[in-house]
Amino acid sequence: MSGEDRLSKLAAFTTERPLLLVGCGRMGGALLKGWIGAGIDPAAVLVVDPATANGGSSAPEGVAAVADLAGLPEGITPRMIVLAIKPQVMDEAMPGLKTFTDRGATVLSIAAGKGLAYFKAAFGAEAPVIRAMPNTPAAIGQAIPAGIANAHVDAATRELAELLLGTVGAFVWLDEEKHMDAVTAVSGSGPAYVFYLTECLASAGAAAGLPPELSHKLALHTVAGAGALLAEGDLAPAELREAVTSPAGTTAAALDVLMSEKGLSVLMRKAVTAATKRSRELSR
Ligand SMILES: NC(=O)c1ccc[n+]([C@@H]2O[C@H](COP(=O)([O-])OP(=O)(O)OC[C@H]3O[C@@H](n4cnc5c(N)ncnc54)[C@H](OP(=O)(O)O)[C@@H]3O)[C@@H](O)[C@H]2O)c1
């Protein structure tokens, strides 16, 4: 879709049918930055976040921000409500939002562990709800948000959600909500695994005799550079790996360890299984 087409579709958000962002912290703030960058009219976005009460809102110029729902203009009818608050505060926010879903707003929640059934209980069986899981590279427009919509979300609204989440990365739809736990374990939590891998590589370099600062720099740039090569998408990860592995060379010596029976593959599987299980527990 061309930038112009995207912009004309995003013009569905107007001052009469605004986009309401509830929670403008790390992830809400990243989304808002993406929307404004994509050309959404700032006057068509309203932000609710207690930080505004302390002058701490990260809302960009032109976007009206209020500390709580009571501060919103009376009688507004949002086209969509994006919920970017922590799951722990979700219960208390729900009753105040029902008036908007009753007036036809679609809910797009990015909260971990709050499934479609939770929103059905809060807003009623007919309310259109989309649940999505972004990840931290959203801050630089490099996320891979994944989403699932209930049966009440029409095609135009699905497309709007796709466009909104697409402003922070490459959006994908899921066919089944049950996949959300594994998505959370792979892409939601995944950036932390890569950060930890970088820490491990840096400390292993230091243990091999490098000055720690140099080792940190080498590890960081190696992970970032390898990620950029992967992102080019010309070669699969295994092909890129094989291309740098000469028989009996240094990389092969390291991969013999990493790919051994108790190596990284087994550990990663255990890690993703643990995160999937935890996501399932948190959803209950
Ligand atoms: N960060 C991630 O990597 C990530 C990834 C995937 C999904 N998510 C999901 O995104 C959501 C937000 O996470 P986050 O990391 O952005 O959290 P965050 O930085 O703490 O942002 C949440 C914001 O919501 C505000 N808030 C609290 N209660 C509110 C209310 N009743 N109405 C409006 N705003 C309220 C908070 O203000 P106070 O600080 O004053 O309470 C804070 O500014 C979570 O549900 C999380 O599961 C996050």
Side-chain angles (χ1 to χ4, degrees):
M1 187 184 297
S2 74
E4 222 166 89
D5 284 350
R6 193 168 53 223
L7 204 52
S8 80
K9 289 186 194 284
L10 288 172
F13 298 109
T14 61
T15 46
E16 287 75 35
R17 297 300 312 276
L19 174 57
L20 177 61
L21 174 65
V22 181
C24 192
R26 270 163 303 181
M27 198 48 77
L31 283 167
L32 182 57
K33 189 174 143 205
W35 302 337
I36 300 301
I40 291 188
D41 177 7
V45 183
L46 292 169
V47 172
V48 180
D49 192 302
T52 57
N54 318 316
S57 165
S58 55
E61 213 172 310
V63 174
V66 297
D68 52 34
L69 295 175
L72 287 171
E74 215 161 294
I76 57 158
T77 51
R79 173 74 177 81
M80 198 177 279
I81 305 168
V82 175
L83 290 177
I85 50 178
K86 292 276 189 201
Q88 306 88 278
V89 300
M90 201 59 94
D91 283 354
E92 69 185 76
M94 292 298 96
L97 294 169
K98 187 162 186 322
T99 168
F100 302 132
T101 56
D102 288 348
R103 286 183 213 150
T106 295
V107 171
L108 194 174
S109 165
I110 61 160
K114 294 292 179 197
L116 293 175
Y118 174 83
F119 297 105
K120 184 176 173 181
F123 299 128
E126 305 293 310
V129 179
I130 297 161
R131 177 188 177 193
M133 173 55 57
N135 60 4
T136 47
I140 53 161
Q142 302 269 344
I144 173 85
I148 180 92
N150 75 5
H152 304 288
V153 179
D154 61 30
T157 309
R158 276 175 75 97
E159 191 173 42
L160 274 181
E162 206 173 313
L163 288 172
L164 287 179
L165 292 165
T167 64
V168 294
F171 178 75
V172 290
W173 283 111
L174 304 178
D175 294 330
E176 297 182 70
E177 191 180 9
K178 69 173 185 193
H179 290 153
M180 198 54 99
D181 295 311
V183 165
T184 304
V186 173
S187 54
S189 304
Y193 315 158
V194 178
F195 302 144
Y196 184 57
L197 173 81
T198 314
E199 290 175 61
C200 291
L201 186 55
S203 66
L210 290 173
E213 222 171 279
L214 172 63
S215 189
H216 168 80
K217 192 169 180 179
L218 291 173
L220 191 148
H221 285 269
T222 299
V223 172
L229 266 180
L230 274 172
E232 281 194 344
D234 298 335
L235 292 173
E239 289 174 301
L240 285 167
R241 170 173 52 74
E242 280 156 16
V244 292
T245 313
S246 338
T250 56
T251 312
L255 288 176
D256 278 350
V257 177
L258 290 173
M259 296 172 83
S260 69
E261 224 170 88
K262 290 185 180 163
L264 192 56
S265 168
V266 176
L267 270 181
M268 189 59 83
R269 194 166 293 204
K270 271 192 194 166
V272 168
T273 302
T276 306
K277 181 168 167 268
R278 185 68 186 130
S279 172
R280 233 176 262 136
E281 284 165 3
L282 291 171
S283 305
R284 273 185 214 126

